Amino acid sequence: MSRPRVYVTRRLPQPALDIIRPVADVTLWDREDVPPPREVLLREVTQVDGLLTLLTDRIDGEVMDAARRLKVVSNFAVGFDNIDIPVATKHRIVVTNTPEVLTETVADFAFCLMLAAARRLVEADQYTRAGSWKTWEPLLLAGQDVHRATLGLIGLGRIGSAVARRAAGFEMRVMYYDPFRREDLEQNLHIDYRPFPDVLRQADFISVHVPLSEQTRHLIGREQFALMKPTAVFVNTSRGPVVDQQALTEALAARRIFAAGIDVFEREPVPAGDPLLVQENVIVAPHIASASVPTRIRMATLAAENLVTVLQGKRPPNPVNPEVLNG
Ligand code: 8YV
């Protein structure tokens, strides 16, 4: 039997390639800065048994129809909204993701955005470097307190729960909304379930941790920002389209809310002229919540393991559509 072939859509940390190369012949899109153009992906997919993809690769019906022998799409991410799962399942292609390994790192970053936005850290840095600091002022760069504030989590999956655990150290009161109530976690984490509008009304900090789906697209829009406190700090490390970005921009511009920390955007990379970027009360980052060196290496090696186990005819650690394996 000939060796399987795989296409890897970005330069990966070496330990990941070391897992794949003994098992399969690798064609690598050997760039870090840009994904392969669509026509390259459509050409390469015709030749391979496996794809290792990033969230920047749209794996839809067109790609999967072009594939002739594709068995597995291993996504280097916990989110898999870039892949059409029903179409993959119909083609009997296994899709895998990288949960668990990034949970704590993303939760760290959500907390980092909460603290930085509440305490105006980026403004303070710019002000100090610019030499604007002339004297001591009673309310200079005054922000909001994090300790003992109320944290509202939208979504209580792995990452939402990890943020709740951190909040305990700041003596925060934590409430959450999730379409699937998690009574099992409420006692352990000392957190309360509240209906969605109540969380928005009562929380001082709101952090979003839901996957992107048709149900969650624009879950937070004008109506939801209108319910928040004028002192609220809003943080999104999930997926950009969960939030109506125009409504967020308007809420920040009108000081409907105090500040925001935003790692994900409706369009990525966010265009330079986007009106959100000129708001003073927002801290922005280029989708880096999982970007610690150890976590990115763990994500890459897990994506590689998922890929090779399917190619070896074994059950991968993280199937997203396990029905393909069972059937
Ligand atoms: C990654 C992410 O930055 O895992 C996810 O779903 O959004 C991030 O951890 C990204 O997806 C890398 O492909």
Side-chain angles (χ1 to χ4, degrees):
M1 207 176 87
S2 64
R3 265 163 69 82
R5 287 194 215 155
V6 301
Y7 187 62
V8 177
T9 66
R10 212 68 74 89
R11 190 180 300 157
L12 290 181
Q14 192 57 40
L17 293 172
D18 291 345
I19 292 171
I20 305 171
R21 287 212 159 106
V23 177
D25 292 335
V26 178
T27 305
L28 182 66
W29 175 254
D30 199 9
R31 300 267 306 252
E32 252 163 35
D33 52 344
V34 283
R38 184 85 178 159
E39 65 274 14
V40 172
L41 180 63
L42 284 168
R43 189 182 63 230
E44 295 291 345
V45 76
T46 61
Q47 307 295 325
V48 296
D49 307 277
L51 280 178
L52 195 151
T53 52
L54 269 66
L55 85 168
T56 37
D57 306 306
R58 190 160 42 83
I59 309 299
D60 55 10
E62 191 187 11
V63 173
M64 289 184 270
D65 286 342
R68 295 193 200 119
R69 43 195 270 193
L70 189 63
K71 293 177 195 64
V72 54
V73 178
S74 169
N75 215 31
F76 178 169
V78 64
F80 44 84
D81 46 281
N82 56 312
I83 304 172
D84 190 329
I85 303 299
V87 170
T89 304
K90 201 177 87 203
H91 283 72
R92 310 207 58 72
I93 297 167
V94 183
V95 178
T96 62
N97 68 341
T98 62
E100 322 274 351
V101 292
L102 47 64
T103 301
E104 303 299 329
T105 304
V106 174
D108 284 351
F109 198 72
F111 233 88
C112 169
L113 287 177
M114 277 168 48
L115 287 161
R119 297 302 304 273
R120 305 172 61 182
L121 184 62
V122 174
E123 271 179 89
D125 177 275
Q126 286 163 351
Y127 177 91
T128 313
R129 281 174 202 267
S132 308
W133 187 18
K134 304 291 182 226
T135 181
W136 188 89
E137 294 171 49
L139 285 178
L140 176 64
L141 290 160
Q144 304 295 333
D145 277 327
V146 177
H147 70 273
R148 300 194 189 136
T150 296
L151 169 62
L153 296 168
I154 309 301
L156 192 70
R158 286 178 286 252
I159 298 172
S161 304
V163 174
R165 286 198 306 276
R166 282 158 180 72
F170 282 78
E171 298 179 46
M172 296 177 95
R173 175 178 169 217
V174 185
M175 52 178 66
Y176 79 100
Y177 167 75
D178 192 300
F180 306 100
R181 186 166 173 183
R182 296 294 307 269
E183 283 178 65
D184 53 327
L185 294 178
E186 287 169 24
Q187 267 199 333
N188 272 353
L189 294 171
H190 306 286
I191 68 180
D192 297 317
Y193 173 83
R194 291 274 183 282
F196 187 36
D198 293 14
V199 174
L200 301 174
R201 270 192 212 103
Q202 293 172 26
D204 301 305
F205 290 81
I206 293 157
S207 191
V208 184
H209 302 285
V210 293
L212 175 62
S213 67
E214 280 323 303
Q215 290 72 45
T216 62
R217 191 174 294 274
H218 282 196
L219 181 69
I220 316 267
R222 204 157 284 134
E223 201 185 312
Q224 288 68 36
F225 285 114
L227 296 178
M228 294 178 196
K229 295 182 182 180
T231 49
V233 173
F234 176 78
V235 167
N236 188 10
T237 51
S238 64
R239 283 291 182 265
V242 172
V243 176
D244 176 344
Q245 198 166 304
Q246 197 185 330
L248 167 66
T249 306
E250 285 167 13
L252 288 165
R255 307 271 162 178
R256 270 286 320 126
I257 60 173
F258 182 77
I262 302 295
D263 185 48
V264 287
F265 300 82
E266 287 207 63
R267 217 177 110 197
E268 294 183 1
V270 61
D274 192 289
L276 179 62
L277 302 183
V278 297
Q279 307 307 320
E280 280 172 0
N281 45 355
V282 66
I283 291 183
V284 289
H287 200 147
I288 55 164
S290 69
S292 74
V293 176
T295 288
R296 283 290 164 84
I297 292 173
R298 279 198 296 267
M299 287 169 69
T301 53
L302 183 54
E305 279 159 19
N306 275 311
L307 183 80
V308 300
T309 45
V310 177
L311 296 177
Q312 290 168 327
K314 294 187 282 197
R315 193 181 175 83
N318 311 106
V320 165
N321 55 350
E323 58 274 29
V324 174
L325 297 162
N326 301 337

PDB file of all heavy atoms in Angstrom, residues 54-55 76-79 98 102 106 238-239 287 290 296 299, ligand 1:
ATOM      1  N   LEU A  54      -5.910  25.440   9.197  1.00  0.00           N
ATOM      2  CA  LEU A  54      -6.071  26.491  10.204  1.00  0.00           C
ATOM      3  C   LEU A  54      -7.430  27.139  10.013  1.00  0.00           C
ATOM      4  O   LEU A  54      -8.087  26.911   8.986  1.00  0.00           O
ATOM      5  CB  LEU A  54      -4.976  27.548  10.032  1.00  0.00           C
ATOM      6  CG  LEU A  54      -3.700  27.329  10.844  1.00  0.00           C
ATOM      7  CD1 LEU A  54      -2.973  26.095  10.374  1.00  0.00           C
ATOM      8  CD2 LEU A  54      -2.793  28.534  10.739  1.00  0.00           C
ATOM      9  N   LEU A  55      -7.802  28.003  10.948  1.00  0.00           N
ATOM     10  CA  LEU A  55      -9.115  28.641  10.831  1.00  0.00           C
ATOM     11  C   LEU A  55      -9.227  29.528   9.605  1.00  0.00           C
ATOM     12  O   LEU A  55     -10.331  29.868   9.182  1.00  0.00           O
ATOM     13  CB  LEU A  55      -9.449  29.423  12.110  1.00  0.00           C
ATOM     14  CG  LEU A  55      -8.934  30.845  12.265  1.00  0.00           C
ATOM     15  CD1 LEU A  55      -9.621  31.505  13.446  1.00  0.00           C
ATOM     16  CD2 LEU A  55      -7.463  30.897  12.415  1.00  0.00           C
ATOM     17  N   PHE A  76      -6.271  22.889  13.289  1.00  0.00           N
ATOM     18  CA  PHE A  76      -5.344  23.376  14.313  1.00  0.00           C
ATOM     19  C   PHE A  76      -6.078  24.473  15.089  1.00  0.00           C
ATOM     20  O   PHE A  76      -5.774  25.652  14.985  1.00  0.00           O
ATOM     21  CB  PHE A  76      -4.120  23.915  13.566  1.00  0.00           C
ATOM     22  CG  PHE A  76      -3.004  24.531  14.361  1.00  0.00           C
ATOM     23  CD1 PHE A  76      -1.791  24.820  13.744  1.00  0.00           C
ATOM     24  CD2 PHE A  76      -3.109  24.833  15.708  1.00  0.00           C
ATOM     25  CE1 PHE A  76      -0.733  25.394  14.428  1.00  0.00           C
ATOM     26  CE2 PHE A  76      -2.060  25.413  16.412  1.00  0.00           C
ATOM     27  CZ  PHE A  76      -0.877  25.698  15.764  1.00  0.00           C
ATOM     28  N   ALA A  77      -7.115  24.093  15.836  1.00  0.00           N
ATOM     29  CA  ALA A  77      -7.965  25.042  16.574  1.00  0.00           C
ATOM     30  C   ALA A  77      -9.007  24.225  17.310  1.00  0.00           C
ATOM     31  O   ALA A  77      -9.339  23.112  16.888  1.00  0.00           O
ATOM     32  CB  ALA A  77      -8.673  25.997  15.617  1.00  0.00           C
ATOM     33  N   VAL A  78      -9.534  24.803  18.395  1.00  0.00           N
ATOM     34  CA  VAL A  78     -10.668  24.129  19.033  1.00  0.00           C
ATOM     35  C   VAL A  78     -11.945  24.436  18.253  1.00  0.00           C
ATOM     36  O   VAL A  78     -12.804  23.578  18.094  1.00  0.00           O
ATOM     37  CB  VAL A  78     -10.789  24.514  20.534  1.00  0.00           C
ATOM     38  CG1 VAL A  78     -11.093  25.985  20.743  1.00  0.00           C
ATOM     39  CG2 VAL A  78     -11.849  23.668  21.224  1.00  0.00           C
ATOM     40  N   GLY A  79     -12.062  25.666  17.727  1.00  0.00           N
ATOM     41  CA  GLY A  79     -13.223  26.033  16.917  1.00  0.00           C
ATOM     42  C   GLY A  79     -13.103  25.398  15.539  1.00  0.00           C
ATOM     43  O   GLY A  79     -11.994  25.217  15.032  1.00  0.00           O
ATOM     44  N   THR A  98      -8.661  20.693  18.308  1.00  0.00           N
ATOM     45  CA  THR A  98      -7.643  20.636  19.392  1.00  0.00           C
ATOM     46  C   THR A  98      -8.198  21.214  20.704  1.00  0.00           C
ATOM     47  O   THR A  98      -7.734  22.274  21.162  1.00  0.00           O
ATOM     48  CB  THR A  98      -6.360  21.396  18.997  1.00  0.00           C
ATOM     49  OG1 THR A  98      -6.701  22.779  18.783  1.00  0.00           O
ATOM     50  CG2 THR A  98      -5.729  20.849  17.752  1.00  0.00           C
ATOM     51  N   LEU A 102      -5.667  24.214  24.926  1.00  0.00           N
ATOM     52  CA  LEU A 102      -5.574  25.680  24.922  1.00  0.00           C
ATOM     53  C   LEU A 102      -6.475  26.342  25.955  1.00  0.00           C
ATOM     54  O   LEU A 102      -6.466  27.570  26.101  1.00  0.00           O
ATOM     55  CB  LEU A 102      -5.890  26.230  23.516  1.00  0.00           C
ATOM     56  CG  LEU A 102      -7.118  25.711  22.783  1.00  0.00           C
ATOM     57  CD1 LEU A 102      -8.403  26.047  23.450  1.00  0.00           C
ATOM     58  CD2 LEU A 102      -7.104  26.197  21.354  1.00  0.00           C
ATOM     59  N   VAL A 106      -6.225  30.402  26.880  1.00  0.00           N
ATOM     60  CA  VAL A 106      -7.257  31.342  26.419  1.00  0.00           C
ATOM     61  C   VAL A 106      -7.910  32.018  27.630  1.00  0.00           C
ATOM     62  O   VAL A 106      -8.172  33.230  27.611  1.00  0.00           O
ATOM     63  CB  VAL A 106      -8.307  30.629  25.533  1.00  0.00           C
ATOM     64  CG1 VAL A 106      -9.452  31.577  25.169  1.00  0.00           C
ATOM     65  CG2 VAL A 106      -7.655  30.096  24.260  1.00  0.00           C
ATOM     66  N   SER A 238     -13.933  34.659  21.719  1.00  0.00           N
ATOM     67  CA  SER A 238     -14.529  33.458  21.113  1.00  0.00           C
ATOM     68  C   SER A 238     -14.429  33.532  19.592  1.00  0.00           C
ATOM     69  O   SER A 238     -13.407  33.139  19.018  1.00  0.00           O
ATOM     70  CB  SER A 238     -15.966  33.279  21.598  1.00  0.00           C
ATOM     71  OG  SER A 238     -16.804  34.345  21.179  1.00  0.00           O
ATOM     72  N   ARG A 239     -15.443  34.054  18.936  1.00  0.00           N
ATOM     73  CA  ARG A 239     -15.416  34.279  17.486  1.00  0.00           C
ATOM     74  C   ARG A 239     -16.058  35.633  17.217  1.00  0.00           C
ATOM     75  O   ARG A 239     -17.088  35.962  17.828  1.00  0.00           O
ATOM     76  CB  ARG A 239     -16.193  33.186  16.736  1.00  0.00           C
ATOM     77  CG  ARG A 239     -15.476  31.860  16.608  1.00  0.00           C
ATOM     78  CD  ARG A 239     -14.257  31.961  15.670  1.00  0.00           C
ATOM     79  NE  ARG A 239     -13.591  30.681  15.498  1.00  0.00           N
ATOM     80  CZ  ARG A 239     -12.533  30.279  16.209  1.00  0.00           C
ATOM     81  NH1 ARG A 239     -12.042  31.038  17.165  1.00  0.00           N
ATOM     82  NH2 ARG A 239     -11.972  29.109  15.958  1.00  0.00           N
ATOM     83  N   HIS A 287      -6.326  38.082  17.342  1.00  0.00           N
ATOM     84  CA  HIS A 287      -6.728  36.671  17.538  1.00  0.00           C
ATOM     85  C   HIS A 287      -5.565  35.842  18.096  1.00  0.00           C
ATOM     86  O   HIS A 287      -5.121  34.871  17.480  1.00  0.00           O
ATOM     87  CB  HIS A 287      -7.251  36.086  16.213  1.00  0.00           C
ATOM     88  CG  HIS A 287      -8.095  34.857  16.405  1.00  0.00           C
ATOM     89  ND1 HIS A 287      -9.161  34.542  15.594  1.00  0.00           N
ATOM     90  CD2 HIS A 287      -8.033  33.853  17.316  1.00  0.00           C
ATOM     91  CE1 HIS A 287      -9.717  33.409  15.985  1.00  0.00           C
ATOM     92  NE2 HIS A 287      -9.042  32.968  17.040  1.00  0.00           N
ATOM     93  N   SER A 290      -4.891  32.098  22.266  1.00  0.00           N
ATOM     94  CA  SER A 290      -4.224  30.815  22.552  1.00  0.00           C
ATOM     95  C   SER A 290      -2.719  30.875  22.286  1.00  0.00           C
ATOM     96  O   SER A 290      -2.045  29.844  22.337  1.00  0.00           O
ATOM     97  CB  SER A 290      -4.841  29.698  21.699  1.00  0.00           C
ATOM     98  OG  SER A 290      -4.520  29.889  20.333  1.00  0.00           O
ATOM     99  N   ARG A 296       0.769  26.715  21.686  1.00  0.00           N
ATOM    100  CA  ARG A 296       0.753  26.563  20.223  1.00  0.00           C
ATOM    101  C   ARG A 296       1.475  25.280  19.806  1.00  0.00           C
ATOM    102  O   ARG A 296       1.088  24.612  18.858  1.00  0.00           O
ATOM    103  CB  ARG A 296       1.352  27.792  19.544  1.00  0.00           C
ATOM    104  CG  ARG A 296       0.384  28.966  19.525  1.00  0.00           C
ATOM    105  CD  ARG A 296      -0.787  28.690  18.567  1.00  0.00           C
ATOM    106  NE  ARG A 296      -1.910  29.583  18.760  1.00  0.00           N
ATOM    107  CZ  ARG A 296      -2.023  30.795  18.231  1.00  0.00           C
ATOM    108  NH1 ARG A 296      -1.061  31.274  17.466  1.00  0.00           N
ATOM    109  NH2 ARG A 296      -3.086  31.516  18.475  1.00  0.00           N
ATOM    110  N   MET A 299      -0.972  22.476  20.586  1.00  0.00           N
ATOM    111  CA  MET A 299      -2.042  22.443  19.580  1.00  0.00           C
ATOM    112  C   MET A 299      -1.556  21.793  18.285  1.00  0.00           C
ATOM    113  O   MET A 299      -2.246  20.976  17.681  1.00  0.00           O
ATOM    114  CB  MET A 299      -2.536  23.863  19.267  1.00  0.00           C
ATOM    115  CG  MET A 299      -3.368  24.488  20.356  1.00  0.00           C
ATOM    116  SD  MET A 299      -3.623  26.257  20.058  1.00  0.00           S
ATOM    117  CE  MET A 299      -4.692  26.248  18.628  1.00  0.00           C
TER     118      MET A 299
HETATM  119  C1  8YV B   1      -6.320  29.742  17.184  1.00  0.00           C
HETATM  120  C2  8YV B   1      -8.764  29.536  17.998  1.00  0.00           C
HETATM  121  O1  8YV B   1      -5.646  30.928  17.244  1.00  0.00           O
HETATM  122  O2  8YV B   1      -8.583  27.323  18.720  1.00  0.00           O
HETATM  123  C3  8YV B   1      -9.313  28.190  18.247  1.00  0.00           C
HETATM  124  O3  8YV B   1     -10.488  27.962  17.950  1.00  0.00           O
HETATM  125  O4  8YV B   1      -9.464  30.409  17.631  1.00  0.00           O
HETATM  126  C4  8YV B   1      -7.344  29.832  18.267  1.00  0.00           C
HETATM  127  O5  8YV B   1      -6.866  29.047  19.299  1.00  0.00           O
HETATM  128  C5  8YV B   1      -6.643  29.533  15.783  1.00  0.00           C
HETATM  129  O6  8YV B   1      -7.820  28.884  15.566  1.00  0.00           O
HETATM  130  C6  8YV B   1      -5.493  28.889  15.055  1.00  0.00           C
HETATM  131  O7  8YV B   1      -5.904  28.233  13.871  1.00  0.00           O
END
